Amino acid sequence: METGTGNEHKRGMSGEALNRWRLLLGSSADEPLAETGGYSPQDFAYRELDELLGYLYDREYGEEQGYRGRKGGRGGSSLTVPGWLGKVRKLFPRETVEILEKQALDRYGLNELLTDKAVLESLEPNMNLLKNIMQFKGRMKGEVVASAKEIVRQVVEDLRRRLESEARENIAGKRSRYVAGRTRSLRNLNMKKTISRNLKNYDRDRRRFVVDRLYFDGRVQPYNKWHVIIAVDESGSMLDSVIYSSVMASIFYRLNALKTSLFVFDTEVVDLSGRLEDPVDVLMSVQLGGSTHIAKALRYGETLIENPGRTLFILVSDLEEGFAPQHMYRAAKDILDGGSRMLVLTALDFEGHGSYDERAARTLADMGAEVAAITPNALAEWIGRVIN
């Protein structure tokens, strides 16, 4: 290769192209930011972008890794976390902002995003922020906790609204216009039939519509109480599944066709059945991490079984048992032999990529348990198939 070819190539590139490469390579690149001709607004934008990206990504390397441009972690910058976040939101599209926020928390430990009330409230409520709040909530204090709970509530309520309709239809059955219903609720009210049957009661003098009888739709599936017991492994690797399990349990709790119990476990068991009316309270009670005692959790769940023939036992776990596995297998076998149906979820989320102990999964499947990584909607379908 001829000497100087690289420099000639650089001279042939526009100032904008050079600046894009410079932003990609970081301040350790040989070339500084190039001016595109005079001092245009574009030049200032590149310098501001460089400062914002450097504030985050200069944390990647220190001088011992040969990083040349670093001055005390870009220490000359007057940026603070709130200031950085405000400028990032101004200069980058929303999708990029979410990526930068995620890396700031997950990779570079900018915990101030979660421990400063004003900064926390400025973040976009989404699933990633919810997961970070759950991981860092132990470090939150005072008013920050209240702000975190409100963010969790927004994300959970949005998630619940998206999942609830299909879950109700799968489990409670579709509405039937041809069967009169005994359950008198607004959800089952047949407005068209109610109006048409009461037209005879219209008071022309007072111009009022008098209703002397309401008509309700029935359900394809008659009322049939089943007990759903959900045991959730709260180890750190199960975070997504913990969130979806809590939301789905709160949905099941609202259905007349089901009795729902929920408990989380590590080496201890915490029963959250009494908090199912508020999934936020459930999630804020979860303590992620620690070892796992699945056998102990199964034995506790066994004590909740009243009618095995109408019990669905759902174990949400990666099956990484921290104690002798034979005790886990024996407890699972006792539940299955007693007549309960068991579903082992190695993952409950919309990704469906479970990381789990494959040997344990095969052993439980051979015993008669159903083992899968599924979506929340698929869980509702499974329950609907069993009880309907």
Side-chain angles (χ1 to χ4, degrees):
M1 182 180 290
E2 295 183 7
T3 306
T5 301
N7 291 330
E8 291 172 6
H9 178 64
K10 289 177 183 176
R11 285 195 293 271
M13 296 177 67
S14 68
E16 182 177 355
L18 283 172
N19 281 333
R20 289 179 179 274
W21 275 107
R22 166 61 178 72
L23 289 175
L24 179 66
L25 295 172
S27 59
S28 62
D30 290 333
E31 298 292 330
L33 285 171
E35 295 176 12
T36 58
Y39 286 99
S40 67
Q42 192 176 52
D43 293 331
F44 290 109
Y46 276 119
R47 280 171 168 71
E48 193 166 16
L49 289 173
D50 186 49
E51 182 183 24
L52 293 174
L53 294 173
Y55 183 80
L56 183 63
Y57 294 114
D58 280 4
R59 301 164 192 272
E60 188 74 23
Y61 303 107
E63 292 182 1
E64 63 275 11
Q65 285 89 12
Y67 186 77
R68 290 192 294 275
R70 187 179 179 93
K71 295 180 180 178
R74 186 126 336 169
S77 171
S78 60
L79 279 176
T80 61
V81 171
W84 172 81
L85 182 61
K87 289 188 175 183
V88 161
R89 287 173 172 272
K90 178 182 176 182
L91 292 176
F92 291 98
R94 179 175 175 179
E95 295 79 7
T96 305
V97 172
E98 289 189 3
I99 293 172
L100 290 171
E101 289 176 357
K102 183 177 189 303
Q103 292 191 341
L105 285 164
D106 297 347
R107 186 164 184 169
Y108 302 113
L110 290 186
N111 298 346
E112 195 174 341
L113 289 171
L114 295 178
T115 56
D116 183 297
K117 182 176 184 293
V119 175
L120 177 61
E121 291 177 348
S122 73
L123 297 177
E124 183 71 24
N126 53 42
M127 181 61 75
N128 180 68
L129 181 56
L130 168 57
K131 289 191 284 188
N132 275 294
I133 287 174
M134 289 191 63
Q135 290 174 314
F136 288 96
K137 62 185 174 65
R139 306 180 192 178
M140 297 178 180
K141 300 184 184 302
E143 294 182 345
V144 178
V145 176
S147 298
K149 281 188 175 182
E150 183 55 35
I151 291 173
V152 172
R153 189 172 304 282
Q154 291 181 51
V155 178
V156 166
E157 282 302 307
D158 178 64
L159 184 61
R160 185 185 60 78
R161 281 193 298 269
R162 289 190 280 120
L163 293 172
E164 187 166 23
S165 177
E166 189 168 342
R168 284 183 177 276
E169 186 173 291
N170 279 311
I171 295 171
K174 297 181 180 179
R175 288 177 60 175
S176 172
R177 294 175 298 159
Y178 310 106
V179 180
R182 296 181 180 179
T183 304
R184 301 170 63 85
S185 69
L186 182 61
R187 185 175 65 251
N188 289 355
L189 178 63
N190 188 323
M191 186 64 71
K192 184 177 180 180
K193 187 175 181 179
T194 297
I195 293 174
S196 64
R197 294 290 179 89
N198 287 281
L199 283 175
K200 64 183 185 296
N201 300 325
Y202 184 71
D203 188 332
R204 293 181 180 274
D205 295 332
R206 297 184 179 181
R207 303 181 67 180
R208 290 182 179 179
F209 184 70
V210 180
V211 177
D212 63 5
R213 180 179 176 184
L214 298 174
Y215 292 84
F216 298 88
D217 292 332
R219 292 278 170 176
V220 173
Q221 168 63 37
Y223 176 79
N224 187 15
K225 201 84 164 180
W226 281 73
H227 190 186
V228 176
I229 299 172
I230 306 176
V232 186
D233 179 348
E234 61 179 355
S235 60
S237 62
M238 298 299 295
L239 177 55
D240 286 50
S241 297
V242 168
I243 293 171
Y244 284 109
S245 296
S246 300
V247 173
M248 294 305 292
S250 73
I251 291 173
F252 299 156
Y253 171 79
R254 299 167 187 242
L255 300 178
N256 289 330
L258 300 176
K259 173 185 177 182
T260 306
S261 298
L262 172 72
F263 62 88
V264 296
F265 65 92
D266 43 29
T267 54
E268 299 297 329
V269 174
V270 178
D271 196 319
L272 300 173
S273 304
R275 304 184 183 184
L276 286 177
E277 192 168 336
D278 185 2
V280 176
D281 192 21
V282 172
L283 287 174
M284 295 302 282
S285 301
V286 172
Q287 300 294 330
L288 297 169
S291 185
T292 307
H293 199 336
I294 301 174
K296 185 175 185 177
L298 292 174
R299 290 301 184 191
Y300 176 80
E302 190 178 15
T303 66
L304 302 179
I305 298 174
E306 299 169 349
N307 184 348
R310 296 203 175 191
T311 297
L312 308 178
F313 196 113
I314 301 170
L315 172 65
V316 186
S317 175
D318 56 13
L319 300 178
E320 296 288 347
E321 175 64 293
F323 296 81
Q326 61 266 28
H327 299 304
M328 172 179 67
Y329 299 140
R330 189 174 300 119
K333 188 173 187 305
D334 288 345
I335 291 171
L336 288 163
D337 288 348
S340 298
R341 295 283 296 273
M342 178 177 282
L343 175 62
V344 178
L345 299 182
T346 55
L348 179 65
D349 55 42
F350 282 101
E351 299 301 323
H353 305 304
S355 176
Y356 57 93
D357 186 318
E358 295 185 8
R359 180 179 179 182
R362 284 194 300 269
T363 302
L364 292 171
D366 290 342
M367 290 179 182
E370 296 183 51
V371 182
I374 63 176
T375 67
N377 289 333
L379 172 60
E381 291 174 8
W382 180 81
I383 293 175
R385 285 196 305 271
V386 174
I387 72 174
N388 291 328

